Amino acid sequence: IWGGDALNPLHRVAAWTAAALVPERRFTGEGVVRIQASDNIAALRRLGRDPLYLSPPSAREIFGLVRVVDAAAESAERTGLPSLLLLGEKDQILPVGAVERVYARLPRPRKTRRYADGWHLLFRDLQARRVWQDVAEWVLALPPRACAAEVGPGGS
């Protein structure tokens, strides 16, 4: 979660301006942004060829993402479910400190797992099997009703 006060105000203004002026313009980051999302190069290549995976986002979509992470950061204290934070120490996309600050505001129970060789796409990294195993162990250790959500009058 990289929103709220953690997001540089200039980035926020740029996202809003682009969404207002050129909402359908797509941004690739090519030639400007040099990041790696995973150590699993074969998986990254497969994702790049997959027509159902992400295409370069439009200005409207980028601003939508900013709004979603703002809402998530703002509502952290109201989350009523157990939470598991998975952090890849080599993540070049999200600043770990910003994520940890929001996560610290979540009510308990919460647990953090760090992966020294983990990247942004932990579930596709070369150590993905360990990540999936950790998630399965965490879910199976939850008390039986720990994830029962309260359903309001409208069914949601």
Side-chain angles (χ1 to χ4, degrees):
I1 301 171
W2 184 17
D5 295 340
L7 185 60
N8 181 322
L10 292 175
H11 293 156
R12 184 181 306 283
V13 168
W16 181 88
T17 302
L21 298 177
V22 289
E24 297 308 316
R25 169 122 192 270
R26 300 218 168 252
F27 295 89
T28 65
E30 193 172 320
V32 178
V33 179
R34 293 186 192 271
I35 59 170
Q36 184 171 328
S38 177
D39 59 350
N40 189 340
I41 304 305
L44 291 174
R45 287 185 178 131
R46 282 192 305 277
L47 289 174
R49 291 188 301 267
D50 185 345
L52 299 178
Y53 196 65
L54 298 174
S55 60
S58 69
R60 178 180 42 82
E61 292 164 341
I62 292 170
F63 186 61
L65 180 60
V66 168
R67 294 184 68 199
V68 166
V69 294
D70 281 348
E74 182 181 310
S75 65
E77 290 87 359
R78 295 189 304 272
T79 301
L81 298 173
S83 56
L84 173 64
L85 175 61
L86 306 173
L87 290 172
E89 296 291 335
K90 295 184 177 185
D91 190 330
Q92 297 178 0
I93 296 172
L94 294 177
V96 172
V99 174
E100 289 176 321
R101 282 190 295 279
V102 172
Y103 192 68
R105 295 183 4 232
L106 291 173
R108 296 199 181 270
R110 62 179 191 243
K111 182 177 181 177
T112 302
R113 289 285 307 167
R114 292 178 174 276
Y115 301 92
D117 293 327
W119 297 75
H120 186 71
L121 298 177
L122 286 169
F123 291 100
R124 295 186 188 266
D125 286 355
L126 294 177
Q127 65 176 356
R129 182 176 299 246
R130 179 72 219 160
V131 176
W132 283 104
Q133 184 177 356
D134 289 345
V135 171
E137 289 172 3
W138 179 78
V139 169
L140 293 172
L142 289 172
R145 302 247 330 133
C147 290
E150 291 186 28
V151 177
S156 59

